Amino acid sequence: MFQHFFSDYLVKLQESNQQWWQDFEQGKGAVNSPLNQAMNEVGLNDFNELLKGAANQPAAMLDLQMHWWQQQMEIWQNVVMQETGKSSVIEAERGDKRFADSAWQEQAIFNFIKQSYLLFSKTYLDTINAVEGVDQKTKERLGFFSRQMINAMSPSNFIATNPELLKLTLEKNGENLVEGLSLLQQDMANSADVLKIRMTNNDAFKLGENVANTPGEVVFRNQLFELIQYRPTTETVHATPLLIVPPFINKYYILDLREKNSMMRWLVDQGHTVFMMSWCNPSAAHANVEFGDYVTEGVVKAVSAIEEITGQEQINAAGYCIGGTVLASTIAYYAAKRMKKRIKSASFFTTLLDFSQPGEVGAYINDTVISAIEMQNNTLGYMDGRSLSVTFSLLRENSLYWNYYVDNYLKGNSPVDFDLLYWNSDSTNVAASCHNFLLRELYLENKLVQDKGVKIGGVWIDLEKIKVPSYFISTKEDHIALWQGTYRGALQTGGNKTFVLGESGHIAGVVNHPDKNKYGFWTNEAMPDNAEEWFDSAAHNDGSWWPHWHQWLLGFNPDERVEPYQIGAANYPVLCSAPGVYVKQTLPVEASPEVVETQEFAAMV
């Protein structure tokens, strides 16, 4: 049995090694990339700064080492003289599932390995924070990348030091490793420069059937987006239509998963006439597409189409994540052009406008790293969405990366069927010019909140010129857009503002269907200058924030209800049924010789 296992395993291992070495020799992968070289340079400079600071305070460093040694000896005594019910010297943080198996506690050797690892992890990170004379940005980078290294080397990630994996491998005669290696080979073939580990069974879902299946029609298409108009489900509808602007770094159907958690279906059932933008998945042909194009050729075009289809002169609009940044820029663009008020109210879901507090993604925000990313983007014509997906997963590496590594490759388990993880794995590229702008102009230089910082369509935009009522929903555990940062951005806009803070994170806190009654939210009618001051006087509410937002939207709808609007119009004929064409573009996207113009694309479809 073992002979059969080792023969299969070694064959697959050799195949993987050959593919890895071939990619290495051809310059593929992260090892030889400009980004990896830049990150190594930044990491070395940061570590040198840490060593200099530590050398200037030897007494403090000695105290930390002695404290570590004392606790290490306590762990040894605790394990050797283990008594029933005796607590450990150090415990895993709440929510850390790596050491959930009882063997980590009951078997002395693994208990010792676990506690020693946890102590080392804590001591290492505490040492970084304790060193004086190192600026905060450097400490944040050192802490982030040290955490990545420490968690990659966790004993839970290796068979010999993980009792659960060791037992499983013996019981299955190693078949779990053979199955896992097959999954690894497939994932390597589907990855870009960094291994993208599958999170779910990608064959379990099909767009338009069991996800992204709210009935609707595509009524407009250009080289950047398709516009979906959802079919009404009520006898009458609210007069003011609603436009949703999703992020162009993800696909829109996070807001239209299965019926039980679809915001689109819920909004239509509340009587809203909803339009959704579905962005094109860029290829090298879109290399020169700029951030401003998502305004002038994106939201502006969508608003004009909705006005003609519905006959309404104003609409409500909502933007999610970077889609909210595009929406805010559009409203500011209208103001700068002195155009008529086209948007009646604006809602922003976990949206950064002030990028001075970007969260843990800030570890990548420095001139050296951004210059390397720009070089790669300009070479490819886009930022590969598969690599971008891994970057976001590594912001929560233990729950969004290494756990799947263990489950898939070491346990040999087939991924579960999970619609949200299916969406998360359905990555999109970002056009080179646009991604370069986001990193340098917004994240690094924070120009969106500066006077004459950002020009779109030939005019300087100013967030203070946004005078429409605004609704900001952020989430308390968001690691992509820190709620304190989104609050700072809210303060940059004019007009009446409502800020709401939901429980949970960037996705679960937003996609929080009322029927689940899972996460609550905080509200506060005041908008003080400080986010923490806002929170201290905020009131907690049970249940989803969706009904609260719905009631807020009704304030910008006449009491009268109208007959449902027709689907499309003479100049906006139905092109196909939802979810459309663009959302079905999967990576890698094949580049076309040039960006296809609207009429040519429509004729081709």
Side-chain angles (χ1 to χ4, degrees):
M1 186 70 73
F2 272 104
Q3 183 178 2
H4 174 70
F5 152 65
F6 278 117
S7 62
D8 285 353
Y9 184 73
L10 290 175
V11 168
K12 292 181 180 296
L13 186 61
Q14 184 179 14
E15 291 174 355
S16 296
N17 287 339
Q18 286 176 341
Q19 182 62 52
W20 181 88
W21 188 251
Q22 181 180 348
D23 290 346
F24 179 81
E25 289 183 323
Q26 294 176 356
K28 298 179 182 178
V31 175
N32 293 316
S33 70
L35 175 57
N36 189 64
Q37 295 173 13
M39 291 177 64
N40 287 337
E41 178 186 340
V42 171
L44 182 60
N45 291 337
D46 288 347
F47 190 67
N48 286 335
E49 288 296 312
L50 184 71
L51 290 179
K52 290 178 183 177
N56 293 328
Q57 48 187 104
M61 295 298 100
L62 182 60
D63 285 344
L64 282 169
Q65 292 178 30
M66 290 301 298
H67 184 64
W68 166 79
W69 180 248
Q70 289 171 357
Q71 286 193 296
Q72 186 64 54
M73 293 304 297
E74 289 179 25
I75 290 172
W76 176 253
Q77 292 174 348
N78 175 275
V79 171
V80 171
M81 304 178 66
Q82 192 172 35
E83 300 175 7
T84 303
K86 189 173 183 179
S87 61
S88 300
V89 174
I90 186 168
E91 297 282 358
E93 293 183 358
R94 184 179 179 182
D96 188 346
K97 300 178 180 179
R98 292 175 295 174
F99 307 104
D101 191 88
S102 60
W104 287 107
Q105 181 68 28
E106 296 171 355
Q107 297 184 32
I109 182 62
F110 293 110
N111 192 349
F112 178 77
I113 291 172
K114 175 195 72 173
Q115 291 194 66
S116 297
Y117 164 77
L118 292 172
L119 178 61
F120 168 78
S121 303
K122 183 177 185 303
T123 303
Y124 195 102
L125 297 176
D126 286 348
T127 300
I128 293 173
N129 293 325
V131 175
E132 298 177 356
V134 180
D135 70 85
Q136 188 59 34
K137 289 290 185 182
T138 301
K139 283 188 175 182
E140 288 174 0
R141 284 196 300 271
L142 282 166
F144 177 79
F145 290 113
S146 295
R147 196 189 78 206
Q148 296 295 325
M149 176 194 69
I150 289 168
N151 288 331
M153 298 303 295
S154 170
S156 59
N157 295 339
F158 303 92
I159 296 173
T161 53
N162 185 327
E164 183 183 8
L165 289 177
L166 191 59
K167 179 182 177 183
L168 178 68
T169 303
L170 292 173
E171 289 177 345
K172 292 196 171 185
N173 294 319
E175 288 296 328
N176 54 307
L177 300 182
V178 175
E179 292 293 331
L181 199 51
S182 294
L183 294 173
L184 174 60
Q185 288 177 314
Q186 296 169 31
D187 287 350
M188 288 176 63
N190 294 323
S191 298
D193 56 350
V194 183
L195 176 64
K196 183 182 178 185
I197 305 172
R198 73 184 69 193
M199 296 181 176
T200 188
N201 177 12
N202 292 332
D203 296 326
F205 300 97
K206 189 171 182 180
L207 297 179
E209 294 185 7
N210 51 1
V211 290
N213 60 0
T214 298
E217 313 294 338
V218 174
V219 294
F220 176 76
R221 179 188 295 119
N222 66 11
Q223 68 270 32
L224 277 187
F225 77 101
E226 293 178 322
L227 183 65
I228 299 171
Q229 181 180 358
Y230 290 105
R231 298 175 193 163
T233 59
T234 53
E235 293 184 0
T236 59
V237 297
H238 303 295
T240 305
L242 173 63
L243 170 65
I244 306 293
V245 185
F248 51 74
I249 61 174
N250 300 113
K251 294 188 176 178
Y252 82 84
Y253 65 91
I254 184 58
L255 298 176
D256 187 28
L257 294 171
R258 288 187 280 191
E259 183 174 354
K260 63 180 181 180
N261 56 358
S262 169
M263 176 183 278
M264 294 306 95
R265 192 178 294 268
W266 185 85
L267 284 169
V268 171
D269 288 344
Q270 309 312 306
H272 292 282
T273 300
V274 184
F275 292 80
M276 170 67 78
M277 300 181 73
S278 175
W279 300 108
C280 176
N281 200 340
S283 68
H286 297 80
N288 295 322
V289 171
E290 300 177 347
F291 176 82
D293 294 327
Y294 285 91
V295 172
T296 57
E297 298 301 312
V299 179
V300 168
K301 299 289 187 184
V303 171
S304 296
I306 295 170
E307 287 178 346
E308 183 165 338
I309 291 170
T310 64
Q312 295 293 316
E313 294 184 354
Q314 292 182 320
I315 69 168
N316 294 317
Y320 192 175
C321 190
I322 201 68
T325 312
V326 174
L327 174 60
S329 300
T330 304
I331 301 171
Y333 167 78
Y334 283 143
K337 296 283 284 186
R338 301 181 182 277
M339 299 173 69
K340 72 173 184 176
K341 185 179 176 183
R342 317 286 288 276
I343 295 178
K344 185 181 293 187
S345 76
S347 301
F348 302 97
F349 305 165
T350 62
T351 293
L352 284 173
L353 301 177
D354 182 324
F355 288 78
S356 58
Q357 276 184 288
E360 289 193 330
V361 74
Y364 299 94
I365 306 303
N366 58 78
D367 184 73
T368 302
V369 171
I370 289 177
S371 295
I373 295 175
E374 288 171 336
M375 186 185 305
Q376 289 188 191
N377 287 346
N378 293 337
T379 300
L380 287 175
Y382 55 87
M383 175 65 186
D384 197 301
R386 294 168 295 180
S387 299
L388 198 59
S389 176
V390 174
T391 298
F392 284 121
S393 292
L394 288 175
L395 298 181
R396 286 293 179 268
E397 65 279 4
N398 286 334
S399 58
L400 292 177
Y401 196 80
W402 292 113
N403 60 318
Y404 296 109
Y405 173 90
V406 172
D407 284 345
N408 295 357
Y409 307 149
L410 301 183
K411 292 184 179 180
N413 292 334
S414 297
V416 298
D417 299 346
F418 191 5
D419 55 354
L420 192 149
L421 292 179
Y422 173 82
W423 165 84
N424 190 61
S425 300
D426 191 7
S427 305
T428 58
N429 294 332
V430 182
S433 294
C434 180
H435 193 246
N436 294 345
F437 174 89
L438 293 179
L439 291 180
R440 184 168 294 279
E441 309 293 324
L442 298 190
Y443 276 97
L444 182 63
E445 300 179 3
N446 198 21
K447 285 188 175 181
L448 193 59
V449 297
Q450 297 175 18
D451 182 39
K452 293 186 177 180
V454 172
K455 181 180 282 189
I456 291 177
V459 295
W460 296 106
I461 64 171
D462 182 355
L463 296 183
E464 291 185 357
K465 298 292 180 63
I466 298 176
K467 301 300 183 182
V468 302
S470 301
Y471 186 103
F472 289 83
I473 171 68
S474 296
T475 54
K476 197 167 188 291
E477 298 172 22
D478 195 334
H479 60 284
I480 295 174
L482 290 182
W483 79 266
Q484 294 90 341
T486 63
Y487 187 88
R488 291 176 66 135
L491 294 175
Q492 297 289 336
T493 65
N496 294 324
K497 294 178 281 283
T498 298
F499 190 87
V500 176
L501 183 65
E503 294 177 343
S504 193
H506 192 74
I507 301 300
V510 173
V511 185
N512 182 22
H513 198 289
D515 289 351
K516 292 185 176 182
N517 197 30
K518 193 169 185 181
Y519 302 117
F521 60 97
W522 289 268
T523 55
N524 190 340
E525 293 183 2
M527 284 288 289
D529 292 337
N530 181 275
E532 299 299 340
E533 184 180 340
W534 178 93
F535 184 75
D536 290 341
S537 57
H540 183 268
N541 304 267
D542 293 328
S544 171
W545 61 275
W546 292 9
H548 181 269
W549 176 49
H550 171 62
Q551 291 301 315
W552 182 85
L553 283 174
L554 292 185
F556 310 102
N557 280 294
D559 290 337
E560 71 173 301
R561 302 273 292 231
V562 299
E563 293 292 320
Y565 297 111
Q566 63 181 355
I567 303 293
N571 292 328
Y572 297 95
V574 171
L575 301 178
C576 63
S577 295
V581 176
Y582 283 165
V583 74
K584 294 179 181 178
Q585 295 171 311
T586 57
L587 299 186
V589 175
E590 293 185 5
S592 55
E594 58 184 0
V595 178
V596 182
E597 296 298 330
T598 308
Q599 295 84 356
E600 296 173 348
F601 191 97
M604 183 176 70
V605 173

